[in-house]
Amino acid sequence: MSQPTLSTSLSLADGSRRLSQSSPSLHTYLDKRVIKSQRETKRTRSQRARERLQTKEHLTRLAVGLYEVELADKLERCHSRLSVLTCGRHIARIIPNFTCEFRLCPDCSRRRSRKLQNKYLPAMSAFMLHRRVTPVHLVLTQTHRKENRKQSAKRIKDSFTKLQRRGFWKEHFKGGTWSLEFTKDRNGLHHTHLHIIGFRRRFFDIELLRGEWLAATGDSHVLNLKPIKDIAAGLQEVVKYVSKPLDIRRFGAEDLKEFLGLKNMRMFGTFGEFRDFCKDFEPSDNDGDEVTDLESLNRDLVEGCACPKCNEPLFDLRMSGKELPQFYEQVESSPPGEVRKSSH
Ligand SMILES: [Zn+2]
Ligand SMILES: [Zn+2]
């Protein structure tokens, strides 16, 4: 595979974050899904905004087809009018008129995953510092069976509980987070994966872990493990599966119906020692509290404030949600100071 691996590196010294290209090594986790999501991060903001709109339109059509009138109406209103605080070159803050909070809504799930990151990143940094553990991204898979999404999720979560009770696991891990990812193959079989950020106490032979997973599942030894160099990027990667549990654009009415039946299923959680740590954790000045998104840093900004990136004054641009991709495009392609209020 020639797909380059995009890894983000975090410089703890100055808190700045850079994107760096590194060539794939033999040990790089080359699972197709990860490659796909890496490609996604390379798309421009305008492309992503356009795709969010398309996803929403698709979901709305499905909801209408299922006579889920209230859901369709909420989706249509969500982010339909925006107040965009911009200097013309940067977008500092986007305030929507309404948020639907539907789990599959791409705008709302984006906000939810940002919240998860803001909540857990400081705790993770502190935990690593105090407990001297290193984070790894572990993907656990299971064999495919004819079962529905709920059964498939329960089966893999139960197996993971068994794994955690085993001596090997306790000896090598100090807890972490889990998130569920669902995919469906051409034959309609559910593939459910667990993405774990595990805090590793010491190295071990991966084959031993495969054996442990086989013992827990009874029939699957398939897993992937890669070290996480940058905990912010690692967390961002796993919460992505929470915000985007499946490829919604390939979603049919039946899928939506089934998903609506899952209302209360948890998609993300903490476990083990890290779980207990989070209960008592209060971030202090010494613990890194990197916020991964500019927009969430800018909650207090109003019109007239200086743009955090260039110090130019911010103005408030009103637009419909449908106009946002085009505005991103303008911002992306404009040299300093080009986009003005007249661009509306
Ligand atoms: Zn929404
Ligand atoms: Zn600016």
Side-chain angles (χ1 to χ4, degrees):
M1 292 211 203
S2 59
Q3 191 71 32
T5 310
L6 235 191
S7 66
T8 53
S9 61
L10 171 70
S11 156
L12 284 170
D14 59 7
S16 67
R17 207 169 282 114
R18 268 166 242 110
L19 281 174
S20 67
Q21 296 271 91
S22 64
S23 55
S25 77
L26 273 177
H27 305 289
T28 309
Y29 175 45
L30 280 175
D31 188 284
K32 273 190 210 129
R33 286 166 296 108
V34 174
I35 297 295
K36 195 176 142 234
S37 58
Q38 281 164 349
R39 220 181 282 139
E40 278 165 18
T41 55
K42 274 187 246 169
R43 289 194 315 255
T44 61
R45 295 221 277 178
S46 58
Q47 284 168 325
R48 279 179 284 157
R50 194 155 282 130
E51 282 174 17
R52 284 200 297 277
L53 270 180
Q54 287 164 353
T55 302
K56 260 168 123 162
E57 282 164 8
H58 179 62
L59 278 174
T60 309
R61 276 195 300 271
L62 291 179
V64 169
L66 290 174
Y67 301 102
E68 294 281 348
V69 185
E70 200 186 326
L71 176 63
D73 175 59
K74 274 184 175 176
L75 277 164
E76 222 155 43
R77 277 195 295 142
C78 176
H79 282 238
S80 59
R81 302 288 320 164
L82 305 172
S83 161
V84 179
L85 273 183
T86 175
C87 64
R89 266 217 306 155
H90 309 109
I91 295 178
R93 194 179 168 202
I94 296 176
I95 308 153
N97 60 327
F98 174 75
T99 56
C100 70
E101 306 300 335
F102 181 49
R103 206 186 244 181
L104 295 178
C105 165
D107 286 315
C108 293
S109 56
R110 208 165 149 245
R111 199 175 48 252
R112 194 172 313 120
S113 72
R114 218 154 42 211
K115 270 188 201 161
L116 280 177
Q117 289 174 63
N118 294 344
K119 181 175 173 191
Y120 288 106
L121 191 54
M124 284 182 161
S125 308
F127 189 72
M128 284 157 58
L129 200 70
H130 300 312
R131 303 296 158 90
R132 298 213 175 114
V133 283
T134 50
V136 295
H137 182 175
L138 174 64
V139 186
L140 298 171
T141 73
Q142 64 186 359
T143 50
H144 315 138
R145 288 186 198 161
K146 270 212 151 72
E147 57 195 351
N148 64 31
R149 196 164 272 139
K150 203 170 186 169
Q151 291 162 333
S152 179
K154 185 177 182 310
R155 181 157 64 96
I156 200 163
K157 279 159 92 175
D158 288 349
S159 300
F160 182 52
T161 305
K162 280 185 201 156
L163 180 68
Q164 288 177 72
R165 289 198 188 121
R166 299 181 65 85
F168 179 88
W169 182 269
K170 288 181 190 158
E171 198 184 315
H172 292 93
F173 286 98
K174 278 197 174 188
T177 66
W178 59 265
S179 47
L180 276 176
E181 183 200 8
F182 295 110
T183 58
K184 215 174 180 182
D185 67 18
R186 279 193 206 107
N187 306 317
L189 283 176
H190 294 290
H191 297 210
T192 307
H193 306 281
L194 262 182
H195 288 261
I196 313 271
I197 290 183
F199 292 109
R200 184 170 60 182
R201 309 155 75 127
R202 57 176 70 94
F203 283 94
F204 52 83
D205 182 352
I206 183 84
E207 293 307 320
L208 293 176
L209 184 60
R210 286 187 208 284
E212 291 291 314
W213 183 234
L214 181 61
T217 56
D219 58 6
S220 172
H221 62 274
V222 182
L223 54 84
N224 269 290
L225 183 123
K226 63 167 183 181
I228 295 175
K229 290 193 194 94
D230 168 1
I231 189 66
L235 178 60
Q236 195 176 9
E237 192 173 324
V238 303
V239 297
K240 198 157 52 198
Y241 298 108
V242 185
S243 60
K244 211 190 248 178
L246 19 84
D247 190 352
I248 299 163
R249 274 169 299 165
R250 280 184 11 207
F251 227 47
E254 277 308 304
D255 295 299
L256 179 59
K257 204 171 162 184
E258 194 187 5
F259 199 86
L260 290 171
L262 295 180
K263 236 169 212 161
N264 300 315
M265 183 188 283
R266 293 201 60 183
M267 309 285 279
F268 179 92
T270 52
F271 65 88
E273 227 178 290
F274 180 64
R275 185 199 186 106
D276 299 331
F277 183 83
C278 287
K279 278 181 201 151
D280 308 321
F281 177 71
E282 297 279 348
S284 76
D285 290 347
N286 298 325
D287 296 317
D289 59 345
E290 321 289 338
V291 178
T292 47
D293 192 286
L294 184 68
E295 283 164 28
S296 47
L297 275 175
N298 298 343
R299 231 168 284 149
D300 302 326
L301 291 178
V302 292
E303 190 165 28
C305 286
C307 168
K309 284 206 165 171
C310 69
N311 271 328
E312 289 290 309
L314 294 170
F315 52 91
D316 183 358
L317 210 54
R318 301 294 167 103
M319 63 180 78
S320 84
K322 292 198 167 88
E323 290 171 299
L324 184 65
Q326 206 195 335
F327 184 67
Y328 269 130
E329 232 162 56
Q330 270 177 284
V331 168
E332 280 156 6
S333 61
S334 67
E338 272 297 272
V339 184
R340 282 290 159 224
K341 272 184 176 171
S342 58
S343 72
H344 187 41

